[in-house]
Amino acid sequence: MPRLLATLGVIAGLLLATAAAAVPAHAVAHGWYAAPGQYPFATKLTMTGIPRSDGTSYDSACSAALISPTWIVTAGHCFHDVNRNPVSGPVPYPTTARLNTVNLSTKAGVVRSVTVVRQAANADVALARLSAPVTDVPPLPLSTAKPASGQILTIAGWGATSSTNPVPSTRLTLGQVKVRTVKSATLAVAGYYPAKDTSACLYDSGAPYFSTGSGRVALVSVESDGPSCPHTTTETTYRVDPLVTWIRSIATDIR
């Protein structure tokens, strides 16, 4: 089930106080808090007023990464119609992007609105245009190399820490995973450090998985789907390297 499907509706809103007490405020199950100034490209998405087919609405969240001054990359299913079909074009509901912070209680970070969405044709990946350029945060470079089985990647997410009463995080959390299976469009990854059940959670949809070898950080894949967290099985992520040409055709300000 896609990571976006846990939402904050009216009933969930009544549970927020309980959830805050029962669930730690960090994302990526069994990960660790990012240090101040670390990975400022990691983006927290907040969606409000998402319409349902019955006329009601709800709020939700995703994770993303800045890849150019005006574009972020996230999961395609983060932007959808009332029937949950991914959509391109004007953003379908109010969405804010917040980056250049690791802790919302100590630093507000940079905030932009999302204005336009572009969906990849055959992958759960979307690009989202920001309302104004972000000029003081280095974008995350794109990897053009095919990932390898056994490769270690880092995830940076703003999701929940548990599937029990999940709420979006106020702190950026990191974890390491190992690539288990490489397919033409996807990677299956599993927890590596600090625990074998280090894993993406609800609201981590779109979170970047990146390599850090040789001191160079590069985006390898994007979080899509997985079991309830924490877990020791695999997450499905979508590879970036087959999409580089398409991404560059949209985000023409990639340096």
Side-chain angles (χ1 to χ4, degrees):
M1 183 176 294
R3 293 281 174 216
L4 183 63
L5 293 186
T7 58
L8 300 177
V10 174
I11 295 175
L14 298 176
L15 296 174
L16 285 179
T18 301
V23 179
H26 58 84
V28 181
H30 296 174
W32 72 91
Y33 290 136
Q38 194 171 24
Y39 305 131
F41 54 76
T43 303
K44 176 182 177 69
L45 295 179
T46 302
M47 293 85 164
T48 57
I50 304 172
R52 295 189 179 99
S53 57
D54 63 2
T56 62
S57 64
Y58 63 98
D59 301 339
S60 195
C62 280
S63 298
L66 186 76
I67 57 167
S68 83
T70 56
W71 291 89
I72 56 175
V73 63
T74 188
H77 69 259
C78 290
F79 297 102
H80 57 82
D81 62 19
V82 294
N83 296 313
R84 306 205 68 85
N85 298 310
V87 296
S88 287
V91 65
Y93 27 76
T95 302
T96 59
R98 187 183 301 268
L99 62 158
N100 199 20
T101 180
V102 299
N103 186 342
L104 301 187
S105 68
T106 59
K107 182 180 179 182
V110 175
V111 180
R112 297 287 188 270
S113 296
V114 171
T115 60
V116 173
V117 178
R118 294 286 182 264
Q119 297 280 347
N122 297 300
D124 185 20
V125 174
L127 300 181
R129 186 179 178 88
L130 304 178
S131 55
V134 177
T135 59
D136 56 350
V137 174
L140 177 58
L142 307 177
S143 174
T144 58
K146 180 180 178 179
S149 180
Q151 185 174 359
I152 304 301
L153 303 175
T154 299
I155 177 177
W158 288 95
T161 187
S162 169
S163 294
T164 303
N165 295 330
V167 292
S169 176
T170 60
R171 296 187 69 173
L172 179 66
T173 303
L174 312 176
Q176 286 189 329
V177 300
K178 180 180 285 189
V179 176
R180 297 297 188 190
T181 306
V182 180
K183 295 185 178 181
S184 60
T186 61
L187 297 180
V189 302
Y192 177 73
Y193 180 84
K196 290 187 180 297
D197 61 353
T198 296
S199 51
C201 276
L202 299 165
Y203 310 113
D204 278 325
S205 285
Y209 289 86
F210 48 92
S211 58
T212 58
S214 304
R216 183 180 184 273
V217 177
L219 178 64
V220 174
S221 65
V222 173
E223 170 64 22
S224 177
D225 194 12
S228 297
C229 69
H231 65 84
T232 58
T233 55
T234 59
E235 290 280 328
T236 298
T237 76
Y238 274 82
R239 290 171 52 183
V240 167
D241 58 294
L243 302 175
V244 167
T245 299
W246 171 75
I247 291 173
R248 288 184 174 276
S249 73
I250 302 293
T252 56
D253 57 343
I254 289 179
R255 302 185 182 105

